[in-house]
Amino acid sequence: MIRKGHHGLRPGQTMHLSITTRLRWHCEEPTDSLLQIEVAATSGQRLLANAFEGTPAGHVTRVPAQDGIGERIWLHQEGDCTVTYAAEVEVLGRSVALETLAALPPHRLPGEAVPYLMDSRYCPANRFSPFVDEEFAAFEGGAKVAAMRDWIAAHYRYVPGVSDASTTAIDSFVERRGVCRDYAHTLICFARAAAIPARFASGYGADVTPQDFHAVAEVWLANPEGVGGWHLVDATGMADTASFAQIAVGRDAADTSFLTSFGQADLRELAIEVREVASLNHVR
Amino acid sequence: MIRKGHHGLRPGQTMHLSITTRLRWHCEEPTDSLLQIEVAATSGQRLLANAFEGTPAGHVTRVPAQDGIGERIWLHQEGDCTVTYAAEVEVLGRSVALETLAALPPHRLPGEAVPYLMDSRYCPANRFSPFVDEEFAAFEGGAKVAAMRDWIAAHYRYVPGVSDASTTAIDSFVERRGVCRDYAHTLICFARAAAIPARFASGYGADVTPQDFHAVAEVWLANPEGVGGWHLVDATGMADTASFAQIAVGRDAADTSFLTSFGQADLRELAIEVREVASLNHVR
Amino acid sequence: MIRKGHHGLRPGQTMHLSITTRLRWHCEEPTDSLLQIEVAATSGQRLLANAFEGTPAGHVTRVPAQDGIGERIWLHQEGDCTVTYAAEVEVLGRSVALETLAALPPHRLPGEAVPYLMDSRYCPANRFSPFVDEEFAAFEGGAKVAAMRDWIAAHYRYVPGVSDASTTAIDSFVERRGVCRDYAHTLICFARAAAIPARFASGYGADVTPQDFHAVAEVWLANPEGVGGWHLVDATGMADTASFAQIAVGRDAADTSFLTSFGQADLRELAIEVREVASLNHVR
Amino acid sequence: MIRKGHHGLRPGQTMHLSITTRLRWHCEEPTDSLLQIEVAATSGQRLLANAFEGTPAGHVTRVPAQDGIGERIWLHQEGDCTVTYAAEVEVLGRSVALETLAALPPHRLPGEAVPYLMDSRYCPANRFSPFVDEEFAAFEGGAKVAAMRDWIAAHYRYVPGVSDASTTAIDSFVERRGVCRDYAHTLICFARAAAIPARFASGYGADVTPQDFHAVAEVWLANPEGVGGWHLVDATGMADTASFAQIAVGRDAADTSFLTSFGQADLRELAIEVREVASLNHVR
């Protein structure tokens, strides 16, 4: 990981990302595979182009993904399966200083945020309550989340390959290392343990080195006008809102895998390229 | 646990349940507590009466609960908190023979069912794939779920008190014992490992001994007409659709706790009474 | 827990402890139970009196315990079993400043110390290597162990009742709390992760509040003359060599339980009294 | 894994094994590494030749290994380290029918066997008590161990590569698959849960395919003359006493790793060849 400086786009500025993904896997038998690799159309990012192609041409269905953000794509195929995806995305730079945001008391949270207070597969947040109560007691709201992010950045080492599909935030906290998913899981646990809703977002990041799918946490906080919403926080320091094109959200990585096969599947190739085409400057 | 015989209501029959719940806890400081104790209004059960009362009269808010089934109630209180709940519910007996139901291939599942294929806090379903593949290979669809239910009933012992908030389906599977939540978690893991969506439902059961909140699994299967829907399966044998009044659903017990406090809370009393008033016989 | 000041006996001073233990349990059927409650006769402590009594008078056998320190007592009994134990012990105050001790390189360790580098039931030490490498890199030998002890004392809270027979050092590290066994397990993990042999010692402590069995860690370090040996370290701050009467040693708590029953046994009473009779002052 | 038939040597027969091992690893810095790869000299096997060689010639020390069986070899080296080992071993065929052996009641076990009743790193045996009590209730002593072995053989699949240094018997039991260490860990848990001492033995097996280090369980049972001793049981079916040359014993795999480095070490080669030279037939 090479940490590059953040873009610090001014509000109103956008970044143009060009993304290509190539995924190849093999299924001995006809198998249902679930893909989550397409950039979602949301208020924070605009899709200029989006091309999804799979061979052999098999059965393809789409359903809405979690929280209505993006779609889940099912393929029913056999043998060698190749998927290529290309997108042009305009991401709106709307970085907000975390410290200016406030936490809502739980009883004022909207129904959609409440499930993100609960423990999930990789985020057994309750276990972290004593630590969080003690370590971050001096902070409130966005400043508390910023302190959590900084604690992780200071105490974790980014080590590709150390985590796998069974690694929880507890494992990462004990070993104090991981990749983006582990940083996000830890931050999610910390936030939930402080009664701040937190979810997991997968996506593409312009500054992710080596290039790969990226993952960040999102926390539900209210802006100075009292309006609640999800705010991206990346404890790895790799992404900010200006450089992160969101694919999907979920409780944690269990909800947002780029490829989930129901049957034997053997991943043979994963190639991702994310280029920053230009930072445009116009008012929305 | 004393297993009583099932009711075997004929389609069109209903059961009338009278439910009272009393919950008392103590918070040293002003604390937000989340309650999920009210019977939900759904197509399968009709609320004839519903009375929720809390003292001291504090701040109370309600938000829709998971999948739009029932509501989550927030209380913001301090000191001794008492909640009493009383309901009269008419539950529609629509027991369906599991064996007549079919599993949909994953790529034909509706978007709402897909999240229930994923691993969750207490249900790391993927870990059970080798076991499920081998043990239940001979069965398909509802017959497979029935075989899973019967395996659990045959191999688990119902032992009150052996599980707590950190007990996962793996713990239960190794120790081969648990209470209703553990039976449900295990069945959910088995079903998801076979690509059958499964969720957790909390509720009140007429035949639960000793009387307490109850929990069952629900699986997404299609009826002979090809219409998919959630179907209740209780590996403990305590409940069937005719005797179970649903409160809430979720990925697992993490989503449906009857009381979740964000701060120190000390549960001092929990009293539940569920009486079967009568089985009515009329056509809907 | 009330932490009292340490005794700081000068070398040559001893402390006289008077210990009584009463243990009562019930076995429905004839059951083998293993007791480890007697103070061991070692070079660091002298038994002035030792009385063990069990009713009903059943089959009793004794075998040497781990590392030849003390004995394991087997009882084969049925029904209500009561054991009383009374001892007068003279403990030699030989507190050594940890900082003056050196770690031996692993290849110079005696065979008896090597097993205490390995992972054990409650001490999966390898998992802590990244944390230990980073956090304690500035220290060597006894100073490193002292830094580990101080880190635990600073970051853990002593909370009776939070741990049980399944709680490992990982659980304690995540939750940052526990009782003496958990403090000891954590310190053992830290030391082993730094290639310093560490074992678990159970015993009686004069300053343990409330009175109960106590547990500490022992690390293998060399004194300034280069002579290796086990040195007591108590991260709870409750015990030092002058106030701790050792019962048994082991890899971790799994080896030193005061009562292990092979069959159903129901512990009904545990009463421990440890009084400091006098601190004598004579030369050995 | 290809299961070949067992040798079924008659008492008094021996098997002659020719073993070569080549191990290469790399340490960036001077590192202490612990090797356990030499066949031990025991009453059940005779070393005809034994050659251990390491390059670069570095610091080498030896200490007795667990239970006095074999030696642990320490190397203090840097850079590329190569170790070659060659041995000629005569293994005594003394296969005993498990069913003829009896379990001693715990209170009659010798002190050396008692630690092998306790939980260890990979063998949290207590967790298996409910399963073992129920599943193997019909059997006693050696017949019970045989039933345990057969249960594992029937329910586990041998799948190279599925386990790693963090895989416990619980993981294997849930996933019902593993390699030799996992089969042995499971059997050890089952035996200990039934109050039968069980330990882990590493070694070389003539019939292990692909060739690698092998591991089996040993249980403490008494022969028809009432004499207690350790008896080899291999749930994988790969080894029996006639074809297994023992290296070391321990609580579980944590005690018997072939290479444990205290520092960064990168294993680059592991080549093992075990040939059956001849089965000799002479009386001892």
Side-chain angles (χ1 to χ4, degrees):
Chain A
M1 184 191 71
I2 298 159
R3 293 201 187 181
K4 298 202 237 162
H6 276 194
H7 299 273
L9 294 196
R10 287 187 303 280
Q13 274 188 311
T14 61
M15 181 179 290
H16 184 138
L17 298 180
S18 178
I19 298 162
T20 59
T21 302
R22 188 183 154 82
L23 205 56
R24 194 160 58 83
W25 70 99
H26 185 85
C27 306
E28 278 302 316
E29 300 178 359
T31 300
D32 277 16
S33 297
L34 181 60
L35 287 171
Q36 299 193 83
I37 63 169
E38 288 190 342
V39 172
T42 70
S43 63
Q45 55 197 20
R46 195 153 65 96
L47 275 166
L48 308 176
N50 195 67
F52 176 94
E53 211 168 312
T55 56
H59 187 100
V60 177
T61 51
R62 287 166 175 269
V63 291
Q66 187 128 337
D67 292 2
I69 293 175
E71 293 179 323
R72 289 178 161 130
I73 307 173
W74 285 102
L75 275 74
H76 182 76
Q77 291 186 323
E78 180 176 9
D80 272 307
C81 308
T82 302
V83 158
T84 56
Y85 173 67
E88 303 290 321
V89 192
E90 202 179 52
V91 183
L92 176 62
R94 46 171 180 178
S95 297
V96 178
L98 264 182
E99 289 77 1
T100 66
L101 302 173
L104 293 171
H107 67 268
R108 285 187 48 211
L109 292 171
E112 71 194 81
V114 174
Y116 295 102
L117 291 172
M118 310 303 185
D119 282 8
S120 59
R121 171 68 177 94
Y122 298 117
C123 299
N126 267 320
R127 303 283 307 277
F128 290 92
S129 292
F131 171 72
V132 165
D133 286 351
E134 185 133 325
E135 188 75 23
F136 305 110
F139 304 96
E140 291 294 331
K144 188 181 286 242
V145 174
M148 291 167 171
R149 176 200 60 200
D150 295 345
W151 189 95
I152 297 169
H155 290 88
Y156 274 36
R157 271 200 318 136
Y158 194 94
V159 183
V162 296
S163 60
D164 60 28
S166 72
T167 304
T168 70
I170 286 179
D171 297 312
S172 306
F173 184 78
V174 168
E175 301 190 355
R176 299 216 165 174
R177 59 187 187 180
V179 295
C180 57
R181 81 189 268 290
D182 306 306
Y183 280 68
H185 286 159
T186 308
L187 186 53
I188 289 168
C189 282
F190 287 1
R192 290 181 190 166
I196 296 171
R199 69 183 185 189
F200 186 92
S202 65
Y204 296 99
D207 297 333
V208 174
T209 312
Q211 293 216 323
D212 199 345
F213 290 108
H214 193 50
V216 300
E218 291 187 325
V219 292
W220 182 275
L221 292 170
N223 69 13
E225 288 77 47
V227 180
W230 292 108
H231 295 271
L232 184 157
V233 194
D234 185 356
T236 70
M238 283 179 175
D240 61 14
T241 51
S243 63
F244 182 75
Q246 197 176 60
I247 296 171
V249 298
R251 303 277 185 98
D252 56 33
D255 286 344
T256 62
S257 295
F258 65 90
L259 175 62
T260 310
S261 284
F262 293 81
Q264 290 292 344
D266 179 19
L267 183 64
R268 301 208 166 154
E269 186 188 345
L270 171 61
I272 289 173
E273 193 185 352
V274 182
R275 281 182 311 110
E276 181 182 334
V277 176
S279 292
L280 304 178
N281 197 356
H282 59 160
V283 179
R284 292 205 159 193
Chain B
M1 183 190 71
I2 297 159
R3 293 201 187 180
K4 297 199 237 160
H6 276 193
H7 300 273
L9 295 196
R10 289 186 301 279
Q13 276 189 311
T14 62
M15 181 179 291
H16 183 139
L17 298 180
S18 177
I19 298 163
T20 59
T21 302
R22 187 182 155 83
L23 206 56
R24 193 161 58 82
W25 70 99
H26 185 85
C27 305
E28 278 302 316
E29 301 177 358
T31 299
D32 278 16
S33 297
L34 181 59
L35 288 171
Q36 299 193 84
I37 63 169
E38 288 189 342
V39 172
T42 71
S43 63
Q45 54 196 25
R46 196 154 64 96
L47 275 166
L48 308 175
N50 195 66
F52 177 93
E53 211 169 312
T55 58
H59 187 100
V60 177
T61 51
R62 287 167 175 270
V63 291
Q66 187 127 338
D67 292 2
I69 293 175
E71 293 179 323
R72 290 177 161 132
I73 306 174
W74 284 103
L75 275 76
H76 182 76
Q77 291 185 325
E78 180 176 8
D80 272 308
C81 308
T82 303
V83 157
T84 56
Y85 172 67
E88 303 290 321
V89 191
E90 202 179 52
V91 183
L92 176 61
R94 45 170 181 180
S95 297
V96 178
L98 264 182
E99 289 77 0
T100 66
L101 303 173
L104 293 171
H107 69 268
R108 285 187 47 211
L109 292 171
E112 70 195 83
V114 175
Y116 295 102
L117 291 172
M118 311 302 185
D119 281 7
S120 59
R121 171 67 177 94
Y122 299 117
C123 300
N126 267 319
R127 302 283 307 277
F128 290 92
S129 291
F131 171 72
V132 165
D133 286 351
E134 184 132 327
E135 188 76 22
F136 305 109
F139 304 96
E140 291 295 332
K144 188 182 287 241
V145 174
M148 292 168 171
R149 176 200 61 199
D150 294 345
W151 189 95
I152 297 169
H155 290 87
Y156 275 36
R157 271 202 316 137
Y158 194 94
V159 183
V162 296
S163 61
D164 60 27
S166 72
T167 305
T168 69
I170 286 178
D171 297 311
S172 307
F173 183 78
V174 169
E175 301 189 356
R176 299 216 166 173
R177 58 185 188 181
V179 295
C180 56
R181 80 189 270 287
D182 307 306
Y183 281 67
H185 286 160
T186 307
L187 185 53
I188 290 168
C189 282
F190 287 1
R192 291 182 190 166
I196 296 171
R199 69 183 185 187
F200 186 92
S202 65
Y204 296 98
D207 296 332
V208 175
T209 312
Q211 293 217 322
D212 198 346
F213 290 108
H214 193 49
V216 299
E218 291 187 326
V219 292
W220 182 275
L221 292 170
N223 68 14
E225 288 77 46
V227 181
W230 292 108
H231 295 272
L232 184 156
V233 193
D234 185 357
T236 71
M238 286 178 173
D240 61 14
T241 52
S243 64
F244 182 75
Q246 196 176 60
I247 297 171
V249 297
R251 303 278 185 99
D252 56 32
D255 286 343
T256 61
S257 295
F258 64 88
L259 174 63
T260 311
S261 284
F262 292 82
Q264 290 293 343
D266 179 20
L267 183 64
R268 301 206 167 155
E269 186 188 344
L270 170 60
I272 289 174
E273 194 185 352
V274 182
R275 281 182 310 112
E276 181 181 334
V277 176
S279 292
L280 305 178
N281 198 356
H282 59 160
V283 179
R284 293 209 155 190
Chain C
M1 184 192 70
I2 297 159
R3 293 201 188 181
K4 297 200 237 163
H6 277 192
H7 299 273
L9 295 196
R10 287 187 303 279
Q13 276 188 313
T14 62
M15 180 178 291
H16 184 138
L17 297 179
S18 178
I19 298 163
T20 59
T21 303
R22 189 182 153 82
L23 206 56
R24 194 161 56 85
W25 70 100
H26 185 85
C27 305
E28 278 302 316
E29 300 178 358
T31 299
D32 278 15
S33 298
L34 181 60
L35 288 171
Q36 299 192 82
I37 63 168
E38 288 188 342
V39 172
T42 70
S43 63
Q45 55 197 21
R46 196 153 64 96
L47 276 167
L48 308 176
N50 195 67
F52 175 93
E53 212 168 313
T55 57
H59 187 100
V60 177
T61 51
R62 288 166 174 268
V63 292
Q66 187 129 338
D67 293 2
I69 293 176
E71 292 179 323
R72 289 177 161 132
I73 306 174
W74 285 103
L75 275 74
H76 182 75
Q77 292 186 324
E78 180 176 7
D80 273 307
C81 308
T82 303
V83 157
T84 56
Y85 172 67
E88 303 290 320
V89 192
E90 203 179 51
V91 183
L92 176 63
R94 45 173 181 177
S95 297
V96 178
L98 264 181
E99 289 77 0
T100 66
L101 302 173
L104 292 171
H107 68 268
R108 286 187 47 210
L109 291 171
E112 71 193 83
V114 174
Y116 294 102
L117 292 172
M118 311 303 185
D119 282 8
S120 59
R121 172 68 178 94
Y122 298 116
C123 299
N126 267 321
R127 303 284 308 276
F128 291 91
S129 291
F131 171 71
V132 165
D133 286 352
E134 185 133 323
E135 188 76 23
F136 305 109
F139 304 95
E140 291 294 332
K144 187 180 287 240
V145 175
M148 292 167 171
R149 177 200 60 200
D150 295 345
W151 189 95
I152 297 169
H155 290 87
Y156 274 36
R157 271 200 319 136
Y158 194 95
V159 184
V162 295
S163 61
D164 61 27
S166 72
T167 305
T168 69
I170 286 178
D171 297 311
S172 307
F173 184 79
V174 168
E175 301 190 355
R176 298 216 166 174
R177 59 186 186 180
V179 294
C180 57
R181 81 189 269 289
D182 306 306
Y183 280 67
H185 286 160
T186 308
L187 185 53
I188 289 168
C189 282
F190 287 2
R192 291 182 190 166
I196 296 172
R199 70 184 184 187
F200 186 92
S202 64
Y204 296 98
D207 297 332
V208 174
T209 311
Q211 293 215 323
D212 199 344
F213 290 108
H214 193 49
V216 299
E218 291 187 325
V219 292
W220 181 275
L221 293 170
N223 69 13
E225 288 77 46
V227 180
W230 292 107
H231 295 271
L232 185 157
V233 194
D234 185 356
T236 70
M238 284 178 174
D240 61 15
T241 50
S243 64
F244 182 75
Q246 197 177 59
I247 297 171
V249 298
R251 302 278 184 99
D252 56 32
D255 286 344
T256 61
S257 295
F258 65 88
L259 175 62
T260 311
S261 284
F262 292 82
Q264 290 292 344
D266 179 18
L267 182 64
R268 301 208 165 153
E269 186 188 346
L270 171 60
I272 289 174
E273 193 185 354
V274 182
R275 282 182 310 110
E276 181 182 333
V277 176
S279 291
L280 305 178
N281 197 356
H282 58 160
V283 179
R284 292 206 158 193
Chain D
M1 183 190 71
I2 297 160
R3 293 199 188 183
K4 296 199 238 162
H6 276 191
H7 299 274
L9 295 197
R10 288 187 302 279
Q13 275 189 312
T14 62
M15 181 179 291
H16 183 140
L17 298 179
S18 177
I19 298 162
T20 60
T21 303
R22 188 183 155 83
L23 206 58
R24 194 162 56 84
W25 71 99
H26 185 85
C27 306
E28 279 302 317
E29 300 178 359
T31 299
D32 278 16
S33 298
L34 181 59
L35 288 171
Q36 299 192 84
I37 63 169
E38 287 189 343
V39 172
T42 70
S43 63
Q45 55 197 21
R46 196 154 63 97
L47 276 166
L48 308 176
N50 195 67
F52 177 93
E53 212 169 312
T55 58
H59 187 100
V60 177
T61 51
R62 287 166 175 269
V63 292
Q66 188 128 337
D67 291 3
I69 292 175
E71 292 179 322
R72 288 177 162 134
I73 306 175
W74 285 102
L75 275 75
H76 183 75
Q77 291 186 324
E78 180 176 7
D80 273 308
C81 308
T82 303
V83 157
T84 55
Y85 172 66
E88 303 291 322
V89 191
E90 202 179 53
V91 183
L92 176 62
R94 46 170 181 181
S95 298
V96 179
L98 264 181
E99 289 77 1
T100 66
L101 303 173
L104 293 171
H107 67 269
R108 284 186 47 209
L109 291 171
E112 70 194 84
V114 174
Y116 295 103
L117 291 172
M118 311 301 185
D119 281 8
S120 59
R121 171 68 177 95
Y122 298 116
C123 299
N126 267 319
R127 302 284 306 277
F128 291 91
S129 290
F131 171 72
V132 165
D133 285 352
E134 185 132 327
E135 189 75 23
F136 305 109
F139 304 95
E140 291 295 331
K144 188 181 287 243
V145 174
M148 292 167 170
R149 176 200 62 199
D150 294 345
W151 189 96
I152 298 170
H155 290 87
Y156 275 37
R157 271 202 315 137
Y158 194 95
V159 184
V162 295
S163 61
D164 60 27
S166 72
T167 305
T168 70
I170 287 178
D171 298 311
S172 307
F173 183 78
V174 169
E175 301 189 355
R176 298 214 167 175
R177 57 185 188 183
V179 294
C180 56
R181 80 187 271 289
D182 307 306
Y183 281 67
H185 286 159
T186 307
L187 185 53
I188 290 169
C189 282
F190 287 1
R192 291 182 190 167
I196 296 171
R199 70 184 184 187
F200 186 92
S202 65
Y204 296 98
D207 296 332
V208 175
T209 311
Q211 294 217 322
D212 198 345
F213 290 109
H214 192 50
V216 299
E218 291 187 325
V219 293
W220 181 275
L221 292 170
N223 68 14
E225 288 77 46
V227 181
W230 291 107
H231 295 271
L232 186 156
V233 193
D234 185 356
T236 70
M238 285 178 174
D240 61 14
T241 50
S243 63
F244 182 74
Q246 197 178 58
I247 297 172
V249 297
R251 303 278 186 99
D252 56 32
D255 287 343
T256 61
S257 295
F258 65 88
L259 174 62
T260 310
S261 284
F262 292 82
Q264 291 291 345
D266 179 19
L267 183 64
R268 301 206 165 155
E269 185 188 346
L270 170 60
I272 289 174
E273 194 185 353
V274 182
R275 282 183 309 110
E276 180 182 333
V277 176
S279 291
L280 304 178
N281 198 356
H282 58 161
V283 180
R284 293 205 158 195

